[in-house]
Amino acid sequence: MPGLATFKPQTETVKLGEDQEVVVRGLSITDLGAILHEHANTLDGLYKEHIIGAGEEPPEIDTLMRALMTEAPQAMASIIAHAADEPELSDVVLTMPGMDQIKLLLAVAALTFKSEEEVGKIAEALIRGMQAITSTVQNVADQSLLEA
């Protein structure tokens, strides 16, 4: 019987060079939240510049990938490492040849998003959620200081 017990995320095996490969999957909301938390300031800046700044038309995936690789390489490495289920190895991703990083990032994007429009919607929802959490934590901290 189909159900959660039999669910397996779709994966893609990306060949790197002649004798290496990495298996990646699409990112879950948990992955995206962890990446956003770890790289909040950098990703918030990218979101404002490339998604909000794009106006009505959502940015193309290649534009976002270029921005990730040039403006937020640690976040890009974290995305790939999470998709490979090895988030602790993002530093290894940073040492890979650029073309290997691009192949992996393209595979992750294809497995995570069904359209370019989804990228903006998910990014906006995650950033708003993080802003709400940050605001709540700040309010609790401020209240604690007032009571002290």
Side-chain angles (χ1 to χ4, degrees):
M1 171 189 279
L4 291 177
T6 60
F7 174 78
K8 289 186 173 96
Q10 185 178 0
T11 62
E12 183 175 334
T13 301
V14 179
K15 192 161 176 62
L16 308 176
E18 291 185 26
D19 61 345
Q20 296 185 55
E21 55 187 36
V22 175
V23 177
V24 293
R25 61 172 172 75
L27 297 172
S28 68
I29 294 296
T30 304
D31 294 320
L32 293 167
I35 293 162
L36 182 62
H37 179 73
E38 185 177 348
H39 305 283
N41 292 335
T42 303
L43 293 176
D44 185 51
L46 286 177
Y47 172 76
K48 287 176 181 169
E49 180 178 344
H50 296 283
I51 295 177
I52 292 176
E56 294 293 316
E57 289 295 315
E60 295 187 17
I61 293 287
D62 63 335
T63 301
L64 293 174
M65 284 182 40
R66 194 174 317 112
L68 266 175
M69 295 183 79
T70 59
E71 300 171 40
Q74 281 79 14
M76 177 270 311
S78 186
I79 288 168
I80 293 169
H82 275 267
D85 288 321
E86 297 178 293
E88 71 282 359
L89 297 179
S90 62
D91 286 346
V92 173
V93 176
L94 291 171
T95 66
M96 290 178 169
M99 287 308 296
D100 288 345
Q101 293 171 341
I102 290 170
K103 288 194 303 191
L104 287 163
L105 202 53
L106 282 170
V108 174
L111 291 165
T112 304
F113 304 107
K114 302 299 180 233
S115 71
E116 292 175 357
E117 190 174 293
E118 280 186 5
V119 175
K121 288 179 181 178
I122 290 173
E124 181 178 1
L126 287 169
I127 287 171
R128 285 188 180 174
M130 287 301 295
Q131 288 170 338
I133 292 168
T134 301
S135 177
T136 301
V137 169
Q138 185 61 47
N139 288 339
V140 169
D142 291 346
Q143 186 64 33
S144 296
L145 288 174
L146 290 174
E147 293 173 357

